[in-house]
Each structure stands twice: as structure tokens, then as C-alpha cells.
Amino acid sequence: MDLTPPSIDSRRQARALYWLAWRVTDIAEHLHLNRATVESWKQRDRWDDAPCIQRMEAATEARYCALIAKPVKTGSDYKEIDLIGRQIERLARVRRYEEPGGHEGDLNPNVGNRNSGPKAKPVRNHFTDEQAAALRDAFEAGLFQYQRGWYAAGERERTRVILKSRQIGATWYFAREALLDAVETGRNQIFLSASKAQAHAFKAYIQTFAAEIGVKLSGDPIVLSNRAELHFLGTNAKTAQGYHGNFYFDEFFWVHGFDVLNKVASGMAMHKKWRKTYFSTPSSMTHEAYKFWSGERFNKRRKREEKETFRLAHADLQAGLQGPDRIWRQIVTIEDAEAGGCDLFDVGELRLEYNPDEFANLLQCQFTDDTLSMFPLSVMQGCLVDSWVEWKDLRPHAPRPFGDGEVWVGYDPQESAEGDNAALVVVAPPRVPGGKFRILEKRSFRGLDFTDQAKAIREVTTRYRVTHIGIDKSGVGAAVFQLVRGWFPTVVGYDYSVQLKTRMVIQAKAIISRRRLEYDAGWNDVTQSFMAIRRVLTASGEQVTYKASRGNGVGHADLAWAVMHALAAEPIEGVDAPKTKAFLEMS
């Protein structure tokens, strides 16, 4: 037997033969090797533990090298060389697949190339048939009985006008109704409000509704895949004659210039296939929209014998009624909502919290008489602007909404945990003498103790450059004032008296009368707050003062007082001095 040292090639040949199922003895004899040598290679290199792919690679390599080494090759040799080459490529892909990070594309190139070409964009704002069905199911499942009545009226009436209580879910409902109609019919939907910010409340409700069934809506306007368009407009809709579709007019009793705006809005739905929906809480009977509601506009310029009688009593309109002008009118009070399944309120408790006048106006849909108000609706409407459109220097959702611009803060504290609301306003003062004040932000609080009220004020100072803070320091306000003074030494505390209230009201009256105060047209609560302030006699009957209904839990004028605490930072001897002093002398 040849006992010369074996070569590395002999070791590889021995391993290849062993993987071909040869016995160790036969391998040693065939390669003229010592059996012990072959056995040691087997143990040391762990031939039995080698994975299948390693054995295949070794056999393939040996055969490939043998064929390549042949000096003269046949046609079948070349075919086998090509076959083995492709097999080596497959084995390499298997190796990549087994390594960390390997994936199916390593085994099959076609899988890896599936996404290599241009990707088809997903269809934007699309509802599948299944999602459309789920949308309707979700819509119908969440309705109170009076909302079902609104839907039934919308199926048969072209024009709906609804006078409603606060907080009964009207905007929420009509946003969902409009989206469902757009998905099922492809009709356009137009949402018209006093301001762009208020109109976008519709958009938020619509996006939330779509998200409930897994659809993300985007864009302004939102354009569905079926080409239905959803437009969200403020008072700039005066230039929107090109729009057409179903339209929803939110809080129409509070917009400025209703007659002009309504003429444009009604033109959007002139075709008989479109429907018109108006809904609002009541304001004052002096508002332009009252003639539209009462039928006075319909009867105007008609002969006496052609004039129609309109039934406007709650008893007549509780279930909805089509009038002589073919407009379907309805009144939905908070008690009607409760009877219709709305279990969100404790009406008995609300009667205790609100005084009778406020309960009648806010919750029972009765119009106010603002003839005795220091700030009637006709005056306050001069303050209304579409802030998102007209105030280019304000970014409401930014960390610093007004940048480094100067602001004044007015605060009217909550007297007790059971008392009225606390109100905070952020006001941008005029940049030039005689310029305009702008209410940039408003907030209301309830249930906060004096430390939390002070924290709320401090939070505002982290987002604005505040140069004045005015606080009513009567009652609980004294504790709030002391805490604020600890970190804002120049805070001004107002200790209310007849003279001070008179000064504040008359100063605010002068500023508002000259249209030097602006705020977003959708902020009806600010308007209502000022409208609530009236001129009355003191208990002794010897002096005139100003007060508003501040019944338990209402805070109906808190925002107005907070605004006046900010406006008071302007010296009374300013541009309104002659008019203001004249008012003061009269009072």
C-alpha cells in the first residue's frame, strides 16, 4: 500500500466519495490511502454533519471541473456544463436565502422583480362597495329619533330649515348624512358657515366618520373617487358662484350679511336635484335671517290677498311642517331631543343651572330681545371676520400661534367649583394708534381650583409674548391674582365697583362701535356673551351699573368680561377718549 502523504486533493476526493455513500475502507483502497487517515478526515471535518446543500455544492463543483478539464468535449458535455452552471447559480441563491436578512426574492428572482416596476398609486378617497355598506350601517346605528326625522325629511323635502337647541348633535349628524350621500350618489356637498374655521368642524366630523370604517380622507376640497366634491366654505362664499351641489348652512342666524350670502348660497342648489339645509340656534329677531324663517321675506311685495300665514309656534313645528313657501321648518328643543332618545342631558338639572331667560334662548329655541342690551347683535356683527382667511399672521395650531407678536390676556375667574365658568382670552392689541384689537384665542374652564386656574394662565404665556394680564381679583380671583403675580409682577388686578364696571363697559362700547374689535365669525359664544350685558340700576336705585345673567353653571357673559379686562389696558385717554368720556358723563 502506498503510504506517501496524501494531498489536499485526495482529502477532497475522499469526502466526495463518502458523500456518494462509499464506505471508508473502499475509499482508502480506491485512493491508495491508509484507512486510519480517511477515518480521521471523516471525524475531524465532520462529514456526517455536513448540510445537504454543502454536499450538493461539492458534487456539482467536482463534476463541473471534470467536464471543463476534458480536452475534447461532446455536445452532451456542453449541455451538461450549461445545466451545472445554472445549478450553481440556484445553490448560490439558496445560500443567500439562508443568511440573515434573506427573503423569498433570493430564491425566485421573479418575486424580487414584482415591485421593481412603476407602482400603481392607491386610489385616493375611495370607498369599496363593502366600505360603503359599512358606512350606511354605522350611520343608521348612531341616530336618535329626531335625527331619523331629519333624514326622512331630506329624502322628500328640497329645503329644510331647523331651529335647534344647543349641543344636540346637528353638525355631527349633517356631516355624516352628507358624506353618506356623496358616497352613494356622487353628488357634491357644500358646507357653509360664518367662518372657514367653523366650516372645518364639518370636515373633522367627516374624516372621523370615514376613519371608523378604515378610509382616510384628505384634501380641501375632499374629492372622492366617484368625483363627488366636499367643499368647506366660510363667508368668502360670496365669490363661490361656480359651486353647485347640496348645501348645508350652519348657524345661519349668526352670520353677518345673511341676505347677500344666502342669495349666493341658494344659487348653488338651484337645480331641483340639489337640496338645501339650514340649521341654527336662535339669535335675535332683529337678525336678517328672521324674515327668512318667519315667512316675512316670502310675503314681501305680495298683494294683501296673496300673503300667506306661516305657523311658527313650537306646537306646530315640533314634528316638522312644510310652509306655504315649500320650506320644511322644524323646532327641536332640548326637551324634544330628550324625547327623541338623546340621553346626554339632565334637563331638570339644566333648568336649575340656567336662569329662565337663558334656558329659553339656549335650549328652548326662543329668540332674544336685545333692544336693552349694551351690545346688540347688530353692533356685534361689525366685529366678525373670517380669521383663517383674513389674519395671515396667525397660525392657530402652531406652537407659537402669533410668533413674537405682542398680546394682552384677559381673565375672568371661576368663583367656585359650583359657580360660573372661568374665561380666558388672548387679544392682539392695535399695532398703530386707533387700530384694531383682535381676539386670537378664547378658552373656558369649569371645575378648576385657583391653582389650576393660575396654571392655565401660565400655559398661555409659554405660547405667546404676553405684555399685559388683567384679572378680576374679586372672590376666588384674589387667590388667582396672587399666584399669577408671583411670576408675572405687572399683572393688573381689577377690584370690581360700579365705577370700574361702568368704565370697562363704556370703553368696550366705544371700541366696538368704531369697529376696532375683531374675532372669528364662528365664535357665537363671544357674541352672546356681550349681548347678555345690560344697563340696570343698583339695589339702592341711585346708580346705573352693568350686569349680565351669571346664573349657576352658565358663565353666559364671562367671555365678555374677560375681553374687557384685556381691552382695559388701553388708556381711556386714547383715540376713543371724547366718545368714551361723554358716555361716562351720561352714566
Side-chain angles (χ1 to χ4, degrees):
M1 179 175 292
D2 187 3
L3 298 179
T4 57
S7 65
I8 296 177
D9 186 67
S10 297
R11 189 168 182 168
R12 294 176 63 185
Q13 290 183 51
R15 184 185 64 180
L17 291 172
Y18 183 78
W19 285 345
L20 289 173
W22 282 43
R23 296 186 305 167
V24 172
T25 301
D26 295 336
I27 294 172
E29 183 179 345
H30 178 72
L31 296 178
H32 305 292
L33 298 173
N34 190 317
R35 186 189 184 285
T37 300
V38 177
E39 182 65 30
S40 68
W41 290 345
K42 170 192 169 186
Q43 299 298 332
R44 190 180 309 137
D45 295 341
R46 303 176 67 178
W47 291 350
D48 288 330
D49 296 335
C52 178
I53 188 172
Q54 184 180 354
R55 302 183 187 191
M56 294 171 62
E57 286 172 337
T60 303
E61 180 186 5
R63 181 59 179 166
Y64 187 82
C65 292
L67 290 169
I68 292 296
K70 288 179 67 175
V72 179
K73 300 179 180 65
T74 65
S76 61
D77 289 338
Y78 285 111
K79 289 182 179 179
E80 187 176 1
I81 288 172
D82 181 66
L83 176 63
I84 294 175
R86 283 184 275 130
Q87 183 62 34
I88 292 172
E89 181 183 347
R90 292 191 187 99
L91 292 172
R93 288 201 295 267
V94 172
R95 282 289 191 186
R96 287 197 299 270
Y97 175 74
E98 291 180 340
E99 292 175 354
H103 54 83
E104 186 182 356
D106 294 328
L107 296 176
N108 186 355
N110 293 329
V111 173
N113 293 332
R114 285 176 186 171
N115 298 322
S116 61
K119 295 182 180 179
K121 293 184 178 180
V123 181
R124 189 182 186 192
N125 299 335
H126 177 69
F127 290 81
T128 64
D129 291 342
E130 293 76 13
Q131 289 170 327
L135 192 75
R136 171 162 285 281
D137 290 342
F139 172 77
E140 294 178 348
L143 300 184
F144 295 124
Q145 190 59 39
Y146 57 93
Q147 293 169 332
R148 295 184 185 279
W150 292 344
Y151 183 79
E155 291 289 284
R156 65 176 186 271
E157 306 287 348
R158 183 162 174 262
T159 305
R160 296 173 292 180
V161 181
I162 299 165
L163 195 64
K164 69 178 189 69
S165 166
R166 273 187 174 184
Q167 299 296 317
I168 63 170
T171 303
W172 175 87
Y173 165 79
F174 287 117
R176 294 164 76 95
E177 176 193 270
L179 177 60
L180 182 65
D181 184 81
V183 171
E184 293 185 341
T185 70
R187 293 193 292 189
N188 295 342
Q189 316 290 324
I190 304 167
F191 304 93
L192 185 61
S193 296
S195 69
K196 188 81 169 178
Q198 188 179 23
H200 272 241
F202 281 109
K203 185 176 183 179
Y205 281 131
I206 285 172
Q207 290 175 321
T208 301
F209 186 26
E212 290 178 13
I213 58 157
V215 177
K216 181 179 180 180
L217 297 180
S218 60
D220 191 4
I222 294 174
V223 181
L224 302 185
S225 61
N226 64 1
R227 299 185 179 180
E229 300 176 2
L230 284 70
H231 295 270
F232 307 93
L233 308 177
T235 51
N236 60 343
K238 294 176 183 178
T239 60
Q241 287 88 345
Y243 295 130
H244 59 276
N246 298 331
F247 89 82
Y248 295 84
F249 202 156
D250 183 20
E251 294 293 355
F252 68 95
F253 265 116
W254 296 93
V255 300
H256 183 50
F258 171 80
D259 287 340
V260 174
L261 193 57
N262 187 50
K263 191 173 295 184
V264 174
S266 58
M268 298 175 183
M270 190 169 291
H271 294 173
K272 64 181 181 181
K273 67 177 180 178
W274 308 122
R275 65 186 177 198
K276 301 178 288 184
T277 303
Y278 302 76
F279 60 100
S280 179
T281 53
S283 58
S284 167
M285 287 185 288
T286 60
H287 191 274
E288 290 179 352
Y290 188 78
K291 295 178 181 179
F292 169 72
W293 164 260
S294 66
E296 182 179 344
R297 192 189 70 172
F298 177 82
N299 283 326
K300 188 177 181 180
R301 294 177 182 167
R302 277 181 165 79
K303 296 179 182 179
R304 183 187 298 263
E305 61 273 16
E306 295 176 348
K307 293 184 183 296
E308 299 284 355
T309 300
F310 286 78
R311 297 157 59 184
L312 302 176
H314 175 248
D316 295 320
L317 300 183
Q318 186 175 18
L321 178 69
Q322 188 186 86
D325 53 0
R326 293 191 179 180
I327 293 177
W328 184 84
R329 293 173 174 82
Q330 186 185 32
I331 296 176
V332 184
T333 68
I334 194 169
E335 293 167 328
D336 296 329
E338 184 181 46
C342 183
D343 56 358
L344 305 177
F345 307 100
D346 184 333
V347 177
E349 184 177 349
L350 291 176
R351 284 187 179 277
L352 297 176
E353 291 181 353
Y354 288 79
N355 67 44
D357 290 341
E358 289 163 343
F359 189 89
N361 173 236
L362 301 176
L363 304 174
Q364 288 191 307
C365 303
Q366 295 184 20
F367 290 89
T368 61
D369 180 2
D370 63 350
T371 56
L372 299 179
S373 172
M374 281 296 295
F375 302 94
L377 180 61
S378 57
V379 172
M380 296 308 300
Q381 285 186 317
C383 302
L384 307 182
V385 297
D386 194 337
S387 64
W388 282 21
V389 175
E390 299 188 24
W391 295 351
K392 304 301 184 183
D393 55 351
L394 178 66
R395 296 178 298 165
H397 304 298
R400 300 278 296 179
F402 201 51
D404 291 327
E406 177 187 10
V407 301
W408 297 347
V409 172
Y411 189 74
D412 189 57
Q414 183 178 349
E415 294 302 319
S416 66
E418 296 78 23
D420 55 5
N421 292 340
L424 182 152
V425 296
V426 178
V427 177
R431 291 177 173 172
V432 296
K436 294 182 181 292
F437 292 90
R438 294 180 290 166
I439 305 177
L440 307 181
E441 183 176 327
K442 63 177 178 66
R443 299 174 66 183
S444 294
F445 309 99
R446 184 169 177 79
L448 302 183
D449 61 22
F450 63 91
T451 57
D452 289 331
Q453 293 183 54
K455 288 178 182 177
I457 298 173
R458 186 161 195 172
E459 186 277 331
V460 168
T461 65
T462 65
R463 296 185 291 111
Y464 293 91
R465 183 169 71 87
V466 179
T467 60
H468 164 79
I469 299 178
I471 299 177
D472 171 13
K473 64 176 184 179
S474 307
V476 174
V480 178
F481 171 75
Q482 291 296 332
L483 290 176
V484 173
R485 189 166 64 175
W487 47 267
F488 197 90
T490 59
V491 61
V492 178
Y494 299 112
D495 204 349
Y496 268 26
S497 65
V498 171
Q499 292 75 19
L500 179 62
K501 292 177 74 172
T502 299
R503 175 192 182 279
M504 286 185 172
V505 171
I506 297 303
Q507 182 181 14
K509 178 78 171 182
I511 290 172
I512 292 172
S513 297
R514 294 192 175 189
R515 296 199 170 187
R516 294 184 57 219
L517 178 66
E518 293 182 343
Y519 57 89
D520 190 85
W523 289 358
N524 300 339
D525 50 353
V526 176
T527 302
Q528 290 172 314
S529 189
F530 275 98
M531 288 172 61
I533 298 176
R534 300 189 176 190
R535 187 174 179 175
V536 298
L537 292 175
T538 60
S540 65
E542 297 177 354
Q543 289 181 293
V544 173
T545 187
Y546 300 90
K547 66 180 296 185
S549 300
R550 295 164 65 96
N552 200 24
V554 180
H556 195 46
D558 297 307
L559 283 168
W561 294 117
V563 172
M564 286 187 274
H565 296 161
L567 299 182
E570 182 176 73
I572 199 73
E573 294 79 12
V575 293
D576 290 321
K579 186 174 182 179
T580 304
K581 288 182 178 179
F583 272 120
L584 285 168
E585 290 171 1
M586 291 172 58
S587 63

